[in-house]
């Protein structure tokens, strides 16, 4: 068997997490092919170490150095696997940049992912989080994925049912949390393409421009413009995008909150429940623009926590907890963070 990938020691993780938080990986290995994982697991010295899978680092809050062996996923590759009457199947390596992959599909004349443009992170993390934006979730376009069980070394192929997708949730955050390394993801792009334009911001763009039937490229450009107007660029201001999930409440809870705060932003769900805008709840509690130490709430969008320059992970966590307490005290709702706190 070929040698295992090179082991790097005391690697700064500041460039590898979108918050730009200081932390060291005591040991790090770059995984550039599925076979690299098999070699690692066959190495007696490395196999006994605890492991931490790191993709694009856009959904984590690092509060300390990592003693575990960090598996930095850098598996490349994009290809069209199959063209059928009802769909085109495309595949990407888990280390591919998600936004660049979305742009690539449009360059191939394959729409379907344009609503998910400019979401930070890599392809392998997309199923873990069941990423979603502007009316589309990953599960709506998902076909299957390949992964490796880090306990047994077995190769796994999981379909949508096996992934147990939920709102910003999947089996990889539940039963398989910390157990799998995703290597490749396959997506199903419906044919003929159907634009998803029901989201309020996109409806406003159509009204403002007079374009009632935008092309996929126009939707892609609109989504990028909307996101850039609302969310800071992690390369400029450290952040992990939306920090809290939008809470889902019962009709009774929603009516009770509306009675006290008629302006609350809420959306009906298919099952009769209501999704509340977490950013509105945070803003209503007065947090927009506020800071604790070097951790702050973004001035343009209260749902985003930012690194004001030299924040440490503990400050991000302290700020998040203070916001949670405020929202619970006023609305009786517990906000759930999206990023993983390490």
């Amino acid at each position: 068997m070929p040698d295992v990938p090179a082991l790097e020691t005391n690697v700064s993780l500041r460039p590898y997490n979108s918050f730009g938080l200081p932390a060291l990986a005591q040991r790090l290995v770059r995984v550039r092919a599925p076979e690299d994982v098999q070699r690692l697991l066959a190495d007696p010295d490395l196999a006994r170490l605890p492991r931490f899978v790191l993709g694009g680092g856009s959904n984590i809050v690092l509060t300390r150095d990592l003693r575990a062996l960090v598996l930095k996923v850098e598996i490349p590759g994009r290809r069209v696997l199959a063209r059928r009457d009802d769909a085109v199947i495309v595949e990407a390596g888990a280390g591919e940049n998600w936004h660049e992959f979305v742009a690539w599909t449009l360059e191939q004349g394959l729409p379907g992912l344009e609503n998910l443009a400019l979401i930070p992170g890599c392809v392998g993390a997309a199923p873990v989080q069941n990423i979603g934006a502007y009316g589309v979730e990953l599960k709506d376009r998902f076909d299957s994925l390949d992964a490796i069980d880090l306990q047994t070394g077995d190769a796994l192929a999981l379909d949508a049912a096996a992934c147990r997708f939920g709102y910003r949730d999947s089996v990889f955050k539940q039963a398989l949390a910390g157990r799998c390394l995703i290597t490749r993801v396959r997506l199903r792009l419906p044919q003929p393409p159907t634009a998803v334009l029901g989201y309020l911001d996109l409806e406003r763009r159509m009204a403002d421009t007079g374009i009632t039937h935008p092309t996929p490229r126009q939707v892609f450009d609109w989504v990028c413009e909307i996101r850039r107007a609302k969310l800071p660029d992690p390369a400029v201001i450290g952040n992990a995008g939306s920090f809290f999930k939008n809470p889902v409440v019962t009709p009774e809870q929603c009516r009770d909150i509306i009675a006290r705060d008629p302006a609350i932003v809420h959306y009906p769900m298919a099952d009769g429940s209501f999704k509340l805008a977490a950013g509105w709840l945070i803003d209503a509690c007065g947090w927009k623009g506020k800071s604790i130490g070097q951790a702050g709430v973004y001035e343009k969008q209260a749902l985003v926590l930012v690194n004001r320059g030299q924040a440490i992970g503990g400050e991000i966590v302290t700020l998040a907890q203070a916001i949670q307490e405020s929202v619970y005290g006023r609305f009786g709702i517990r906000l759930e963070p999206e990023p993983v706190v390490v």
Side-chain angles (χ1 to χ4, degrees):
M1 178 177 286
D3 292 339
V4 298
L7 180 66
E8 302 173 37
T9 57
N10 294 323
V11 178
S12 171
L13 296 178
R14 191 188 290 271
Y16 302 136
N17 74 97
S18 62
F19 257 120
L21 298 171
L24 291 177
Q26 293 186 354
R27 305 176 188 85
L28 181 144
V29 167
R30 299 177 191 276
V31 175
R32 296 190 169 107
E35 294 75 21
D36 290 343
V37 184
Q38 304 287 2
R39 294 174 194 133
L40 286 169
L41 297 177
D43 183 283
D45 292 327
L46 297 179
R48 61 183 175 79
L49 297 174
R51 292 170 284 268
F52 181 84
V53 177
L54 178 63
S58 62
N59 200 47
I60 58 173
V61 179
L62 296 173
T63 63
R64 56 175 171 77
D65 294 342
L66 296 186
R67 295 186 178 89
L69 174 63
V70 175
L71 306 181
K72 179 72 172 66
V73 181
E74 298 180 355
I75 300 171
R78 309 167 186 159
R79 59 175 176 160
V80 177
L81 272 187
R83 295 178 184 269
R84 306 197 299 254
D85 290 341
D86 64 333
V88 176
I89 308 300
V90 294
E91 181 185 78
E96 288 283 338
N97 176 277
W98 172 261
H99 173 69
E100 292 174 6
F101 175 58
V102 173
W104 175 83
T105 60
L106 287 179
E107 290 165 4
Q108 310 308 305
L110 301 173
L113 301 178
E114 54 274 6
N115 295 56
L116 303 177
L118 215 63
I119 293 178
C122 59
V123 167
V128 176
Q129 186 72 357
N130 184 26
I131 59 173
Y134 302 101
V136 176
E137 288 186 316
L138 184 89
K139 69 179 179 62
D140 303 324
R141 301 289 185 262
F142 184 79
D143 179 76
S144 58
L145 62 77
D146 296 332
I148 296 175
D149 187 318
L150 294 175
Q151 292 183 7
T152 66
D154 293 340
L156 306 174
L158 282 71
D159 61 10
C163 288
R164 300 180 194 169
F165 291 122
Y167 172 56
R168 302 296 177 270
D169 198 14
S170 71
V171 70
F172 304 104
K173 297 176 79 171
Q174 304 294 336
L176 294 182
R179 181 164 173 169
C180 289
L181 186 148
I182 295 170
T183 57
R184 295 189 180 93
V185 178
R186 288 172 290 278
L187 300 173
R188 181 183 183 279
L189 308 182
Q191 295 292 315
T194 302
V196 179
L197 303 170
Y199 202 87
L200 181 59
D201 283 334
L202 295 178
E203 291 176 344
R204 286 174 177 160
R205 286 294 169 119
M206 289 190 290
D208 291 344
T209 61
I211 301 173
T212 56
H213 295 87
T215 65
R217 172 57 67 172
Q218 285 172 321
V219 174
F220 175 91
D221 290 340
W222 286 350
V223 168
C224 290
E225 291 167 6
I226 293 165
R227 289 186 69 91
R228 288 186 176 117
K230 288 184 175 182
L231 305 172
D233 181 349
V236 179
I237 303 174
N239 73 93
S242 299
F243 196 90
F244 296 101
K245 297 180 183 181
N246 289 320
V248 177
V249 299
T250 65
E252 293 75 21
Q253 287 174 303
C254 192
R255 283 195 297 269
D256 180 58
I257 293 172
I258 290 172
R260 289 182 283 120
D261 290 274
I264 189 168
V265 178
H266 59 287
Y267 308 96
M269 305 289 284
D271 62 0
S273 61
F274 285 83
K275 184 182 293 184
L276 307 180
W280 187 95
L281 299 172
I282 297 166
D283 194 10
C285 291
W287 279 102
K288 187 183 285 186
K290 298 292 180 61
S291 299
I292 291 181
Q294 288 284 297
V297 180
Y298 190 49
E299 288 79 3
K300 296 181 181 179
Q301 170 55 270
L303 194 54
V304 178
L305 305 191
V306 297
N307 179 351
R308 300 257 185 234
Q310 297 297 321
I312 60 173
E315 289 176 318
I316 302 291
V317 172
T318 299
L319 175 60
Q321 290 173 341
I323 291 169
Q324 287 173 302
E325 290 170 7
S326 287
V327 170
Y328 183 74
R330 175 165 174 180
F331 298 102
I333 292 172
R334 295 194 183 278
L335 292 181
E336 184 179 349
E338 285 195 26
V340 177
V341 176
V342 181

